[in-house]
Amino acid sequence: MVAERLRLEKALRADGDLKLVAYMMAGHPNRKRSIEVGKRLAGSGIAALEVGIPHSDPLADGPVIQRAGQAALANGMTVEGALEVAKAVATEGVPVVLMTYINPVLQHDPRKFAAESAQAGVAGVIVPDLPIEEAEPVAGWLRAASLDTIFMVAPTTPPDRMATICSHSSGFVYCVTVTGITGVRKELPEGMSDLFAEVKKHTPLPVAAGFGISRQEHMKALRGKLDAAVVGSAIVDEIERGGDGVALVRELLKACR
Amino acid sequence: MNRAALTHPVDGRFGAFGGQYVPETLMSALHELEDMWHEAKADPQFQLELAGHRRAFIGRPTPIYAATRLSEQFGGTHIHFKREDLCHTGAHKLNNAVGQALLAIRMGKRRIIAETGAGQHGVATATVCARFGLDCTVYMGTEDMRRQSMNVRRMKLLGAEVVEVKSGSKTLKDATTEAIRDWVTNVRTTHYIIGSVVGPHPYPEMVRDLQRVIGDEAREQYLSLDGKLPDVVVACVGGGSNAIGIFTAFIDDRDVALVGVEAAGKGIRTGQHAASLVGGRPGVLHGSYTYVLQDGDGQILPTHSISAGLDYPGVGPEHAFLRDIERVEYVGVTDQEALAAFKLLTAMPSRNWPISISSATRNEIRSCRVVAMAGSSLFSPRTRGFAVTSRGPL
């Protein structure tokens, strides 16, 4: 199980490059299509795939991912269904990270959720509305199932708190680049490099940047400063238009090396 | 049941309920808010300033009113109404908005955001922002903007920007979600004035502290009127700020029964209601662990109530706690019952909640619950328009 647990850490550690993590929503636009898209993304050269479990009230998400979640729910996606999507996609060999909100996990039963995620071959879990103060007992159940617990640091996180968040994390640390919600942005904020340097001081884990990242210029700006970049809304937008995001991923990857 | 447990949340929780289930970006703002609130609360200068605004701006103390004709109808029960509708802008919402605006100024934040359902909290917030010269943005669902269009116009006249929320059920829940998203984005410059005792810690505690003036006044007024305490205090519960406001003063008075009335819509069994405590289960909504209307997968369910102000799928975590320790009894009243009570009260304009009832028998209390519901959701002038009604025949 130890090797299993290090899977995410290894996959995301930069090796002179920038790793790319893609995000997709389970059940968007529907279950069958999301499995197809997930498998294609898994084969596109990404280091890991984040699979979103839809929630009716996604506090940390912008309009694109919110819309995708609502479409998935309208098409009958459930927590159980999302775990099945994750399982189908995980067979491609790329580590799968689940991203959802705390209430679906609580209502599913955190212990059961952890066990079923592990069974589905999931590597780790991100819950953006679960700050470290509220993490237990959910994080404990995830760890007990050999899942990585990925916590977020934000531009508003003070340094001492950053250290605590990093110590709760495994697999990687998710660094939110912008003070805000998910969604494509033209430019990434200034002062971002200082934030990454600060996070790096507190953890030996790989650090991934997320929120607002969608362009080759972003990749170039991030490369060398941290390990990985998460691209979400830009891919979900492609999926919404009937695409699979693979062309976008390939284009972005060119700027990652 | 000890007082400390009831009035001071431990680690941000009332028993198991409350907490801070929000994105990391907001955590330092919540910590700052908690510190600043405790500091302000203990600062005599702040309290003095707040008391001044309560007197001159809000119009406190609001009277309690003996509804004699209504009381006769219920066999000599003494029914009194605490007249929060006489607050400036027509509802108790201003008690909270004034306090939080003063706090925002103290924190150096000049941009205010708020969510609103019926529009009362939006109007209260727009009013304090006009008073103190703060920028104001109010989030409101499309559906609520339609049914409460007068309040939209008032907010705009007061200089607020009203942002239409088209997502989800297009009502209060979605407006709150949208306001939280704005706060996540602009947290460095913006204070979010939540309108009820909901949301992440310290909001439920802070809004309670600002609304408890309702009960503190009512208890004293009732005592000096009757020489003893009422037997029952009834209040409607949407998010629950007016109810917490009046209950808090009576929590330690064990002989005083407390009754919270939720919106049962078309009936609890139909699923079309907004009664989180009566018909929901514990879960997380808008940063707080509390009773929530949700499906088996934790997705928040659409709500229904004839009253825009009660149309919310969650409830303040302190109410969840008071329910579980059985200090407050929570009941549901349907749209139909509320309308019947509304008609009754319109014929006898002794409107308003929360009501306290003296010498009530069990059956009479049951009748009065309906009165409280109507009083709070409909008859109490949630819009200025209803103030006209108050001049009707007595």
Side-chain angles (χ1 to χ4, degrees):
Chain A
M1 287 314 262
V2 173
E4 188 73 6
R5 192 172 241 185
L6 287 174
R7 208 151 59 107
L8 207 47
E9 198 178 321
K10 277 187 185 156
L12 260 72
R13 192 172 299 286
D15 181 19
D17 58 354
L18 180 75
K19 303 294 184 194
L20 202 153
V21 178
Y23 172 97
M24 55 166 279
M25 176 70 80
H28 178 236
N30 56 53
R31 179 199 167 98
K32 185 163 167 270
R33 175 77 183 150
S34 73
I35 293 175
E36 279 169 25
V37 167
K39 288 188 169 185
R40 278 188 222 161
L41 282 169
S44 67
I46 56 171
L49 182 66
E50 266 185 41
V51 175
I53 302 177
H55 182 43
S56 54
D57 290 77
L59 289 187
D61 283 306
V64 173
I65 291 178
Q66 185 189 13
R67 222 163 39 230
Q70 284 183 348
L73 289 174
N75 285 328
M77 189 38 63
T78 58
V79 174
E80 203 184 329
L83 287 167
E84 283 165 20
V85 170
K87 186 176 183 176
V89 174
T91 55
E92 298 296 305
V94 165
V96 169
V97 178
L98 290 175
M99 181 151 171
T100 187
Y101 288 82
I102 187 61
N103 203 41
V105 175
L106 287 180
Q107 301 309 322
H108 194 78
D109 178 349
R111 195 172 176 175
K112 195 170 138 217
F113 179 83
E116 289 173 2
S117 299
Q119 263 168 19
V122 165
V125 177
I126 307 174
V127 185
D129 60 346
L130 192 70
I132 47 171
E133 284 84 351
E134 310 291 357
E136 300 306 332
V138 175
W141 291 121
L142 295 173
R143 283 187 207 104
S146 289
L147 294 161
D148 280 320
T149 53
I150 297 116
F151 286 91
M152 291 174 154
V153 297
T156 51
T157 308
D160 55 335
R161 186 177 165 80
M162 234 174 235
T164 318
I165 294 173
C166 289
S167 71
H168 278 73
S169 301
S170 64
F172 66 98
V173 173
Y174 195 122
C175 183
V176 178
T177 54
V178 293
T179 307
I181 51 178
T182 61
V184 172
R185 283 159 180 87
K186 238 184 193 168
E187 281 167 29
L188 296 178
E190 287 174 33
M192 196 173 62
S193 306
D194 296 342
L195 175 66
F196 300 149
E198 185 64 42
V199 184
K200 278 276 182 193
K201 265 198 263 175
H202 299 290
T203 183
L205 290 171
V207 177
F211 288 34
I213 301 166
S214 58
R215 300 171 165 223
Q216 282 196 331
E217 307 94 90
H218 299 161
M219 300 293 145
K220 283 177 192 153
L222 294 170
R223 198 182 64 201
K225 299 204 173 71
L226 77 180
D227 298 277
V230 184
V231 181
S233 295
I235 291 172
V236 174
D237 189 46
E238 296 265 317
I239 296 169
E240 190 176 30
R241 293 159 195 266
D244 56 17
V246 170
L248 174 67
V249 167
R250 294 219 165 107
E251 196 189 308
L252 293 175
L253 277 171
K254 283 183 204 159
C256 290
R257 293 182 194 107
Chain B
M1 194 196 318
N2 69 53
R3 189 183 177 86
L6 289 180
T7 54
H8 299 294
V10 178
D11 290 336
R13 284 177 187 264
F14 300 93
F17 300 101
Q20 298 176 310
Y21 297 90
V22 294
E24 170 62 22
T25 307
L26 292 181
M27 288 305 288
S28 50
L30 290 175
H31 292 149
E32 186 199 2
L33 190 60
E34 186 180 358
D35 291 347
M36 292 296 279
W37 173 241
H38 288 143
E39 197 187 290
K41 213 171 115 176
D43 177 358
Q45 195 58 44
F46 181 87
Q47 289 299 342
L48 202 68
E49 201 180 341
L50 184 59
H53 290 301
R54 277 178 177 162
R55 243 185 344 265
F57 187 59
I58 304 178
R60 306 206 70 89
T62 57
I64 59 168
Y65 170 80
T68 47
R69 286 187 58 206
L70 186 71
S71 298
E72 276 165 28
Q73 185 143 345
F74 289 103
T77 305
H78 297 278
I79 301 172
H80 290 80
F81 294 102
K82 176 66 173 160
R83 295 291 307 274
E84 285 304 291
D85 58 308
L86 296 179
C87 290
H88 180 34
T89 74
H92 70 291
K93 294 292 185 187
L94 201 58
N95 299 330
N96 169 44
V98 165
Q100 286 203 50
L102 291 176
L103 190 66
I105 293 166
R106 200 178 162 102
M107 291 190 296
K109 292 184 171 178
R110 309 293 304 184
R111 179 174 179 264
I112 299 293
I113 55 169
E115 84 294 339
T116 198
Q120 282 303 140
H121 176 58
V123 168
T125 304
T127 302
V128 292
C129 288
R131 167 67 183 77
F132 296 114
L134 303 168
D135 287 340
C136 182
T137 302
V138 179
Y139 288 90
M140 190 170 188
T142 308
E143 173 63 16
D144 288 333
M145 284 178 79
R146 187 189 57 76
R147 56 182 171 178
Q148 301 289 123
S149 59
M150 270 298 287
N151 279 341
V152 176
R153 283 170 60 192
R154 285 180 75 193
M155 285 184 270
K156 287 180 177 167
L157 276 172
L158 288 158
E161 185 194 348
V162 181
V163 180
E164 181 180 352
V165 178
K166 299 173 186 166
S167 55
S169 58
K170 305 176 176 61
T171 59
L172 180 55
K173 173 198 75 136
D174 310 282
T176 307
T177 301
E178 218 43 56
I180 294 175
R181 287 208 190 91
D182 178 315
W183 202 35
V184 172
T185 307
N186 301 300
V187 62
R188 287 191 168 102
T189 58
T190 300
H191 176 63
Y192 176 22
I193 301 188
I194 291 187
S196 191
V197 285
V198 300
H201 177 71
Y203 279 105
E205 180 195 1
M206 177 169 66
V207 178
R208 188 268 321 269
D209 290 347
L210 288 167
Q211 291 292 4
R212 67 167 294 161
V213 65
I214 302 172
D216 289 342
E217 284 176 9
R219 192 174 182 279
E220 246 187 71
Q221 289 166 325
Y222 197 93
L223 270 174
S224 63
L225 200 80
D226 217 20
K228 57 187 171 78
L229 290 172
D231 297 312
V232 187
V233 174
V234 186
C236 73
V237 180
S241 66
N242 62 291
I244 282 290
I246 196 160
F247 289 165
T248 299
F250 296 95
I251 289 277
D252 290 336
D253 301 318
R254 301 233 196 147
D255 294 337
V256 179
L258 304 176
V259 180
V261 182
E262 291 195 304
K266 295 180 178 169
I268 299 291
R269 260 173 290 174
T270 65
Q272 293 185 55
H273 60 86
S276 325
L277 291 162
V278 175
R281 284 179 293 121
V284 170
L285 175 64
H286 296 144
S288 184
Y289 184 68
T290 183
Y291 279 80
V292 175
L293 297 174
Q294 55 184 325
D295 69 12
D297 243 9
Q299 311 298 350
I300 308 306
L301 290 172
T303 53
H304 166 80
S305 170
I306 195 165
S307 158
L310 300 182
D311 210 349
Y312 182 69
V315 66
E318 192 170 1
H319 284 294
F321 177 63
L322 292 171
R323 172 199 189 275
D324 278 15
I325 63 166
E326 298 181 352
R327 177 63 187 95
V328 180
E329 185 193 353
Y330 294 91
V331 298
V333 159
T334 63
D335 287 350
Q336 218 175 4
E337 290 171 305
L339 276 173
F342 170 63
K343 284 181 188 154
L344 175 70
L345 287 176
T346 310
M348 269 176 287
S350 44
R351 84 216 65 73
N352 213 4
W353 57 268
I355 64 173
S356 50
I357 311 155
S358 173
S359 317
T361 67
R362 177 104 199 141
N363 273 342
E364 286 156 353
I365 297 169
R366 186 161 289 283
S367 313
C368 292
R369 281 176 194 157
V370 181
V371 174
M373 172 69 183
S376 57
S377 62
L378 289 166
F379 203 81
S380 130
R382 286 236 162 185
T383 65
R384 272 271 149 131
F386 279 108
V388 177
T389 325
S390 76
R391 282 190 237 112
L394 205 85

